[in-house]
Amino acid sequence: MERPPFKNGKDSTHQMRMVGARLLLRWLETFEGKTWQQRWNASPGSATSVGWTEAPLAWGIVHGRRPQKAGLGSGLLALVCADVIRPSMPWLASSLSPHLREAIEAARDPRGFTELRDARMPGQPDPRRTSKALKAVARILAAKGGSIDDIVVGDVLELLLAATGTSTSHTRLAYALLQSRGLFLSIPPICGDLPMQPVPR
């Protein structure tokens, strides 16, 4: 995490990111588990993205630290991009992080995201909708690991089940973009009456 693509931009930003990541790992050490993922799952932070920083913030203050909410968010994003922690799909579907897509793209699959952004398809969506769809793709990679070529239909369905409001249309567009790249060619388009259940990977 001290090297690109995780170390980029201003030194002060990277320092804040690393401080947040270290504090999160120290906090996670207080939970049962043999891996960081198991400890994350055992922590209250894994339950929901809403207010997840409250517990590590309180822990840090008790232990003589002065953690910042923004630093914890930045630290978690770095750990997610490095595939140290994989939040659940519902957790990610409710997350309002404005930096997830950009960070996942740089760390995991910049070429794949560029190809999706440049995809040509009937009824070409506007750049804003495409950006939202790419964030849906980033959420899948954050939850499942790997790169865009590793995404399977079940991953998209799982996110669709977890999505709410307008984000469901963004997930459907993400599916169409992935199809345009040559994935899921033998699978029909996702439609409203299609039975949707998560498919194990």
Side-chain angles (χ1 to χ4, degrees), residues 35-119:
T35 66
W36 294 120
Q37 183 63 46
Q38 291 173 349
R39 291 173 174 180
W40 167 256
N41 290 342
S43 78
S46 67
T48 175
S49 65
V50 180
W52 76 268
T53 57
E54 292 179 4
L57 282 172
W59 180 87
I61 292 171
V62 168
H63 288 79
R65 304 180 185 278
R66 300 177 62 185
Q68 297 180 357
K69 184 177 180 179
L72 289 174
S74 183
L76 178 62
L77 182 57
L79 292 172
V80 169
C81 288
D83 209 11
V84 176
I85 293 172
R86 296 180 182 179
S88 68
M89 204 71 84
W91 196 104
L92 290 159
S94 63
S95 173
L96 299 177
S97 171
H99 307 296
L100 178 65
R101 193 273 309 156
E102 180 182 0
I104 287 288
E105 177 176 346
R108 296 284 187 84
D109 194 353
R111 180 178 178 179
F113 275 90
T114 297
E115 290 178 356
L116 289 183
R117 192 177 291 106
D118 295 340

